[in-house]
Amino acid sequence: MKILLTGAAGFIGLHIAAAAREAGHEVVGIDALLPQAHGPGAVAPEGVVVGDLRTAPLDDLIAASDVVCHQAAMVGNGVDAQDLPDYAAHNDYGSAVLLAAMARVGAKKLVFASSMVVYGDGRYTCAEHGDVAPAVRQESDLQRGDYEPKCPRCGAEISWHEISEDTAFLPRTSYAASKVAQEHYASAWCTLESARAIGLRYHNVYGPGMPADTPYSGVAAIFRSSLARGEAPRVFEDGAQMRDFVHVRDIARANIRAIEEVCTHPEGLTAYNVASGQTYTIGAMAKRLSRAATGPEPVITGDYRAFDVRHIVASPEAAATGLGFRAQIGPDEGIAELASAPLRRR
């Protein structure tokens, strides 16, 4: 198949392109080369057209492709409400322009990057009220080191549990809100065009080629960058935040499975969690990374950001059933690899 890959010069896009070509597919890429992610004066890799989805001529590129794989996005959580326009402009409007172009040329197959952030804090169980969405954490609790979310109805402690794809959206940040919007636009496009889309809700992606020291860096790259400077990773809160870390090569594999599956998928949007299926605390991940890099032990700072998610872990079972995808690289192996893997410098 011929694949049009947006965000093709990015961390995940490069791995998808390599996996697609290895699987025998032809890839044509497009990337805006945003300076925030790539630095000033970045040069596009071979086979990648430099262009912003909001303004680039897309119709011919789409018409010549069998499937569109949409990875282009402004990522990172954002800092405050002043970031909302940028996320809306790049992620929401950029996706809407892409979908409109697909409709013009009759393209009806889409795979796109969503994220675990659409769930916010996920789901918890209250001993009295059962399954609940957590209350927003209070500044007074965070200041005294009480980081765990509480029941929104009685204020009691609650316990996290795995979430499935039918968990309600609860975006906490600019980026999260934009990812929810992307899913809604894709769903509306499917209805209007009798089209097929698969959205992949990535969990914490890490691996070789992560961007270092940029607003786009995830926690794994931030810790790895600290170790490269000989500094101890600084872990927020108490380090007990629960996560699922999924290797970028597994993310690429999931996209290839989705690209091949969407051709025969039922009409409409289907979303899948893409996760390793193995949980790690952020503190344990930092410690594992430090030891693999023979660097200084992490420092638990107690610092916090009110919008940060405390625990978010999803079930990988739907992707196993619907896509035949299971992660192959466990976090023990992958984090040890990250300790010496190159990061992308701007």
Side-chain angles (χ1 to χ4, degrees), residues 1-72:
M1 281 187 292
K2 188 169 184 179
I3 301 164
L4 175 61
L5 176 63
T6 75
F11 165 49
I12 293 174
L14 287 170
H15 283 273
I16 292 173
R21 292 182 177 116
E22 186 176 340
H25 303 301
E26 182 181 353
V27 179
V28 174
I30 184 169
D31 198 296
L33 295 182
L34 293 176
Q36 304 98 305
H38 299 273
V43 177
E46 185 178 353
V48 176
V49 176
V50 178
D52 188 317
L53 294 182
R54 298 169 297 176
T55 56
L58 298 174
D59 292 28
D60 290 346
L61 289 172
I62 295 169
S65 303
D66 299 303
V67 179
V68 174
C69 183
H70 179 34
Q71 305 294 315

Side-chain angles (χ1 to χ4, degrees), residues 36-313:
Q36 304 98 305
H38 299 273
V43 177
E46 185 178 353
V48 176
V49 176
V50 178
D52 188 317
L53 294 182
R54 298 169 297 176
T55 56
L58 298 174
D59 292 28
D60 290 346
L61 289 172
I62 295 169
S65 303
D66 299 303
V67 179
V68 174
C69 183
H70 179 34
Q71 305 294 315
M74 180 176 173
V75 300
N77 279 323
V79 176
D80 56 37
Q82 299 308 309
D83 292 317
L84 284 165
D86 281 342
Y87 281 97
H90 285 284
N91 298 357
D92 301 356
Y93 183 62
S95 296
V97 170
L98 175 68
L99 293 170
M102 292 179 71
R104 281 195 300 274
V105 302
K108 297 183 183 295
K109 296 184 284 291
L110 171 72
V111 172
F112 68 98
S114 186
S115 172
M116 66 172 190
V117 297
V118 299
Y119 301 123
D121 277 291
R123 302 298 292 186
Y124 290 72
T125 299
C126 172
E128 181 177 354
H129 297 108
D131 182 52
V132 294
V136 175
R137 297 188 297 175
Q138 299 300 306
E139 183 72 21
S140 57
D141 291 336
L142 295 169
Q143 286 180 349
R144 65 171 182 268
D146 182 3
Y147 305 115
E148 296 295 334
K150 305 295 190 297
C151 176
R153 297 177 63 184
C154 67
E157 292 188 3
I158 51 180
S159 56
W160 67 269
H161 59 77
E162 278 190 347
I163 55 178
S164 57
E165 286 79 357
D166 60 359
T167 300
F169 291 158
L170 191 64
R172 298 290 198 198
T173 65
S174 306
Y175 175 61
S178 73
K179 282 296 174 182
V180 170
Q182 283 184 316
E183 291 209 20
H184 287 324
Y185 277 119
S187 180
W189 168 78
C190 286
T191 299
L192 292 167
E193 296 297 314
S194 300
R196 301 176 173 90
I198 294 177
L200 301 177
R201 294 173 182 166
Y202 304 156
H203 282 250
N204 293 265
V205 187
Y206 71 98
M210 293 186 77
D213 296 325
T214 81
Y216 281 58
S217 296
V219 67
I222 292 170
F223 292 166
R224 171 72 173 77
S225 298
S226 295
L227 289 165
R229 296 190 299 269
E231 300 171 0
R234 296 178 58 81
V235 181
F236 279 18
E237 300 184 13
D238 58 1
Q241 307 95 309
M242 196 65 68
R243 294 291 189 274
D244 185 304
F245 293 93
V246 58
H247 197 281
V248 68
R249 289 197 295 272
D250 280 325
I251 291 289
R253 286 182 50 249
N255 273 274
I256 302 310
R257 287 296 306 122
I259 286 165
E260 293 168 349
E261 171 67 24
V262 75
C263 297
T264 57
H265 216 61
E267 289 182 6
L269 168 62
T270 304
Y272 294 104
N273 294 318
V274 181
S276 74
Q278 301 180 47
T279 56
Y280 243 89
T281 66
I282 289 179
M285 187 275 286
K287 185 173 291 188
R288 169 82 172 161
L289 188 59
S290 290
R291 291 179 177 174
T294 63
E297 287 286 297
V299 175
I300 306 297
T301 68
D303 294 339
Y304 62 84
R305 298 180 299 185
F307 62 78
D308 279 342
V309 169
R310 179 63 177 171
H311 307 297
I312 182 74
V313 176

